[in-house]
Amino acid sequence: MAGSGVNVLLLLALPEPVRAAYLGRLRRAFPEVTVNLAEHHEKVGPYIADADVLITFGAHMSDHVLEEGVNLRWIQALGTGVDGIADRPALRAGVLVTNLRGLHGPAVSESVLASMLALARDLPRSLGNQWRGQWQRFPVQLLKGKTAGILGVGVIAEELAPKCAALGMRVVGVSSAQRIVPGFESIWGLDRLNQVAGESDFLVLLTPYSAATHGIVNARVIAAMRPSSFLINVARGGIVDEPALITALEQHSIAGAALDVFSDEPLPADHPLWRLDNVILTPHIAGFHVGYIDDALPIVEENLRRFIAGDVSTMRNVVST
């Protein structure tokens, strides 16, 4: 495959400096390749028909991108999840999909720890008092002695569990594959999700989104949690029954939640989650950190070199073909 004949499209609904960093680095690394950028799926028109390669996040995609991308041969997801890409009916058979599996362990595990500490110490209450100029002391909870139940035991959970254990926490996992993993006291099958939810002080959601996990944290799972327990979701919004979660939060049948992902993103301004005082909301940034580009692009560049050389059989993190 001649490198000069390869067309790459970056579809990135990200701040301009971040988009420019991706674009500039790829153009410098591959001067023989045509690299274009669209900042929104509605702006792919001038480029998508000629693109051989699409580099994007699933959340930035739309069906028409795949429908108009008649020459696409490879899509590189810039995250671990490929929902929004591989699950779209418009994706043609034979289009290679790769992701960045293994990249998010440090960032997302630290995000979970930050959420645990913020919830345990009721940081929103302290910040509210600060803004009101109100001096109010209150006892906080410790993570030591608490139980973290983790749904989805993959790369991120493998990084998170030892960190929780180092803080004196008990860690229990729920996974489709039961095995021994450092930091976990035990890992149970999906049929024990309700039981683990009931014994967890923090129920942490890390499972990938798929048809099988859609709504897996349903009203029954939420009802199994204790009034003192917290839910932390850094996976995908679609794995949670959001109306059931909102009801539980409004009725204080669980203590609170830290949510980084939502069924509808960006979260609409009139969404009821914004109004709840026992919720910490972040805009899908658990894995997004300073230096992310430096971590992500070596994998993308390696895959692009192999694609240009026609060596697709050795490309990293192939999800589907």
Side-chain angles (χ1 to χ4, degrees), residues 1 5-7 51-53 69 71-75 92 94-97 307:
M1 183 184 303
V6 173
N7 282 270
D52 304 289
V53 180
N71 289 308
L72 281 176
R73 289 176 283 168
W74 166 40
I75 302 174
R92 298 191 315 279
V95 176
L96 192 70
V97 177
F307 180 82

Side-chain angles (χ1 to χ4, degrees), residues 107-295:
V108 178
S109 63
E110 288 187 20
S111 175
V112 172
L113 290 177
S115 294
M116 286 180 173
L117 288 164
L119 291 167
R121 292 181 171 270
D122 203 352
L123 192 58
R125 179 177 177 182
S126 292
L127 290 173
N129 289 338
Q130 177 183 333
W131 295 328
R132 290 187 294 269
Q134 182 176 347
W135 181 271
Q136 184 186 74
R137 301 181 72 227
F138 54 90
V140 301
Q141 299 185 54
L142 298 181
L143 297 187
K144 181 180 180 181
K146 297 295 192 298
T147 295
I150 301 177
L151 172 60
V153 182
V155 173
I156 296 170
E158 290 171 359
E159 180 122 6
L160 174 62
K163 294 176 180 177
C164 291
L167 292 171
M169 301 183 74
R170 170 178 175 256
V171 185
V172 180
V174 177
S175 176
S176 56
Q178 294 177 253
R179 57 197 187 281
I180 298 174
V181 177
F184 283 87
E185 176 185 285
S186 57
I187 298 177
W188 300 98
L190 293 173
D191 60 327
R192 301 288 286 272
L193 177 55
N194 281 22
Q195 178 183 325
V196 172
E199 62 188 56
S200 297
D201 298 290
F202 297 91
L203 181 61
V204 182
L205 311 183
L206 295 176
T207 190
Y209 177 78
S210 67
T213 61
H214 178 79
I216 191 171
V217 181
N218 54 30
R220 292 188 300 278
V221 174
I222 295 169
M225 297 175 66
R226 301 192 303 269
S228 60
S229 298
F230 300 97
L231 184 140
I232 298 174
N233 189 7
V234 290
R236 287 291 188 269
I239 69 175
V240 177
D241 181 338
E242 276 188 1
L245 175 60
I246 291 168
T247 297
L249 291 165
E250 290 175 337
Q251 297 178 353
H252 294 276
S253 56
I254 66 173
L259 308 174
D260 185 61
V261 289
F262 310 90
S263 295
D264 189 7
E265 296 184 9
L267 191 65
D270 60 350
H271 198 284
L273 282 171
W274 289 114
R275 302 193 300 270
L276 298 176
D277 60 7
N278 54 350
V279 180
I280 298 173
L281 305 180
T282 50
H284 204 146
I285 57 172
F288 191 36
H289 60 92
V290 174
Y292 186 85
I293 294 175
D294 294 329
D295 291 342

Side-chain angles (χ1 to χ4, degrees), residues 74 76 299-307 315-316:
W74 166 40
Q76 171 70 61
I299 300 173
V300 176
E301 291 165 352
E302 181 181 340
N303 273 347
L304 184 52
R305 282 190 289 269
R306 294 180 181 184
F307 180 82
M315 289 173 65
R316 293 179 59 181

